[in-house]
Amino acid sequence: MEQIIKKEDKLKFKGGLFNTKSGTLVLTKSELYFETKGGKKMFTVPVKSIQSVNSQKGVGAGVDHLYVLYQENGREQKAKIEHFSIMSWGALGNLSRLSSYFSSWEQMINDARFGRIL
């Protein structure tokens, strides 16, 4: 089994209105995938097939998204991962919340894409 670079539970894969699943996002040197609690992989993409990755604040406090664009069978695909946290009103003023929750994921995926991970 390949070494895991980054792994996080309690995220949601947003694959459409009836295809939202909770689970774990996992990054290795060669692939990125999302696995449900039951072990089903919602998507698996080789790092070399990722075209871009973007983290964004979602609508509403405490919602952040990670968008991964990749090529699969000659077609462009998009994976959307969501993180939701319950925040206190006092935390809303915290400047650290201005950055996306997924900014570290964005950096690590790009590091893997461009061979900057040993």
Side-chain angles (χ1 to χ4, degrees), residues 13-53:
F13 170 79
K14 305 289 277 188
L17 186 60
F18 299 108
N19 196 17
T20 298
K21 303 287 183 187
S22 295
T24 304
L25 185 62
V26 180
L27 174 65
T28 69
K29 282 176 101 171
S30 64
E31 71 179 356
L32 177 71
Y33 62 91
F34 187 90
E35 190 172 60
T36 66
K37 293 175 186 177
K40 179 180 177 187
K41 287 190 178 175
M42 299 307 293
F43 78 90
T44 299
V45 58
V47 169
K48 65 183 180 188
S49 297
I50 296 174
Q51 296 176 310
S52 69
V53 59

Side-chain angles (χ1 to χ4, degrees), residues 82-95:
E82 182 179 86
H83 172 264
F84 176 77
S85 67
I86 298 172
M87 298 173 38
S88 70
W89 285 104
L92 289 175
N94 187 341
L95 291 176

Side-chain angles (χ1 to χ4, degrees), residues 66-85:
L66 180 70
Y67 298 96
V68 180
L69 294 175
Y70 60 97
Q71 284 286 325
E72 183 176 70
N73 299 324
R75 296 181 57 198
E76 185 176 88
Q77 303 289 329
K78 183 187 334 186
K80 179 180 176 183
I81 309 299
E82 182 179 86
H83 172 264
F84 176 77
S85 67

Side-chain angles (χ1 to χ4, degrees), residues 1-9 11 24-35 41 43-48 50 53 66 68 102-114 117:
M1 177 173 223
E2 191 172 12
Q3 179 183 355
I4 293 172
I5 296 169
K6 191 165 178 71
K7 179 179 180 179
E8 188 163 350
D9 298 322
L11 298 175
T24 304
L25 185 62
V26 180
L27 174 65
T28 69
K29 282 176 101 171
S30 64
E31 71 179 356
L32 177 71
Y33 62 91
F34 187 90
E35 190 172 60
K41 287 190 178 175
F43 78 90
T44 299
V45 58
V47 169
K48 65 183 180 188
I50 296 174
V53 59
L66 180 70
V68 180
F102 286 112
S103 59
S104 67
W105 274 96
E106 184 177 357
Q107 182 64 49
M108 292 298 285
I109 293 168
N110 280 326
D111 285 351
R113 286 177 60 212
F114 298 112
I117 294 178

